[in-house]
Amino acid sequence: MTAAPQSLHQKILGDLQGKILSGKLAPGARIATEHELAEAYDCSRMTVSNVLAKLARAGLVERRRKAGTFVTRPQSQAAVLEIQDIKAEVQALGQPYRFEMVARATRRSTAADRERLGTRSAGRVVDLVVRHFAGDRVFCLEERLINAEAVPEAAQERFHDIAPGRWLLDSVPWTAAEHRIGASSAGKERVALLSVSATTACLIVERRTWRAALPVTHVRLTYPGDSHQLVARFTPTQT
């Protein structure tokens, strides 16, 4: 079946959204005026205005009266410290680090993919399986989905020289994250990938990140339980 032709509204929206999410239009950058965009796309200013209004509702741009339209600045970047770089974790242990791409595919999302990402919208995803090593031992197994509709550059990135998690932290602005932490045995499907027995206890960290309303990635990180621990420091709640 031939896909329906893309409307001009969708094209402008996709172009601007892609530039914002990829960082080509950085936080604080000024968007071209309605008049300039209308001329560039040979369309009415009403079409452009509707696109900018949609981007504003998604939290990607801020429209300032008489000043123009600007890419929004994230409320806080401090939470990035809570998303650990696996390479840094390994090096902090004094071990040599390397990673290995086990599988990589770009494909249409399934219902299971959309549930993992937390979206109802069908689209393309980049499906990755990566092993991270500390010396000769598997330190972590990474199973990641990247929403290619939010991060179109991921479809072309081969991740030869940089691991997916580090690439995302460096390349893709995000505004919210969700962590789920649990424990499970390795299971038959991950025995070979982790080089452990099926009954080995593992720490599992699942994380989703968003850019405004758009899901960016879902990752499941599986650590053999004897090689990893989570540490949190906190102070008493004021009453």
Side-chain angles (χ1 to χ4, degrees):
M1 180 182 294
T2 303
Q6 187 180 45
S7 71
L8 195 52
H9 179 279
Q10 291 171 323
K11 175 173 175 50
I12 301 170
L13 180 64
D15 287 352
L16 292 177
Q17 183 173 274
K19 290 177 181 178
I20 293 169
L21 295 176
S22 69
K24 288 182 179 178
L25 284 172
R30 188 176 184 277
I31 304 289
T33 66
E34 289 185 9
H35 178 71
E36 290 168 339
L37 288 170
E39 281 196 343
Y41 286 95
D42 191 22
C43 66
S44 70
R45 290 184 63 175
M46 179 64 72
T47 297
V48 172
S49 181
N50 288 338
V51 168
L52 295 177
K54 190 166 186 178
L55 290 172
R57 288 194 297 272
L60 295 178
V61 301
E62 177 186 0
R63 307 187 76 180
R64 303 175 193 167
R65 188 178 179 185
K66 296 184 179 180
T69 302
F70 299 83
V71 179
T72 55
R73 297 183 182 276
Q75 292 295 312
S76 174
Q77 293 285 355
V80 75
L81 298 176
E82 299 173 11
I83 297 182
Q84 299 295 325
D85 177 18
I86 296 173
K87 179 178 180 179
E89 289 184 90
V90 172
Q91 292 178 334
L93 297 173
Q95 296 288 319
Y97 167 81
R98 67 182 177 89
F99 73 92
E100 170 187 276
M101 184 66 65
V102 177
R104 182 193 183 284
T106 301
R107 54 177 174 76
R108 295 289 294 178
S109 64
T110 64
D113 295 334
R114 294 191 288 276
E115 183 176 355
R116 283 178 62 187
L117 286 167
T119 181
R120 296 180 181 178
S121 302
R124 292 189 309 154
V125 294
V126 181
D127 188 357
L128 304 165
V129 179
V130 184
R131 294 203 299 175
H132 300 266
F133 290 83
D136 295 328
R137 186 178 184 184
V138 178
F139 179 75
C140 174
L141 176 65
E142 173 183 351
E143 298 167 275
R144 183 181 295 275
L145 283 178
I146 301 175
N147 180 8
E149 306 304 312
V151 192
E153 293 79 7
Q156 283 75 48
E157 176 62 46
R158 307 314 298 177
F159 304 108
H160 291 314
D161 302 317
I162 186 170
R166 182 71 260 172
W167 181 84
L168 284 166
L169 284 175
D170 290 344
S171 306
V172 183
W174 60 275
T175 56
E178 172 189 272
H179 284 84
R180 292 179 182 272
I181 300 169
S184 177
S185 60
K188 294 180 180 179
E189 67 276 13
R190 296 182 177 86
V191 166
L193 291 170
L194 288 167
S195 299
V196 296
S197 70
T199 57
T200 298
C202 296
L203 175 71
I204 298 169
V205 178
E206 291 189 73
R207 180 170 61 246
R208 289 190 289 192
T209 58
W210 290 264
R211 170 63 168 155
L214 285 172
V216 173
T217 188
H218 173 279
V219 63
R220 175 188 170 114
L221 302 172
T222 303
Y223 298 86
D226 62 348
S227 66
H228 195 77
Q229 60 180 332
L230 294 176
V231 178
R233 182 176 181 177
F234 54 92
T235 58
T237 300
Q238 298 297 318
T239 57

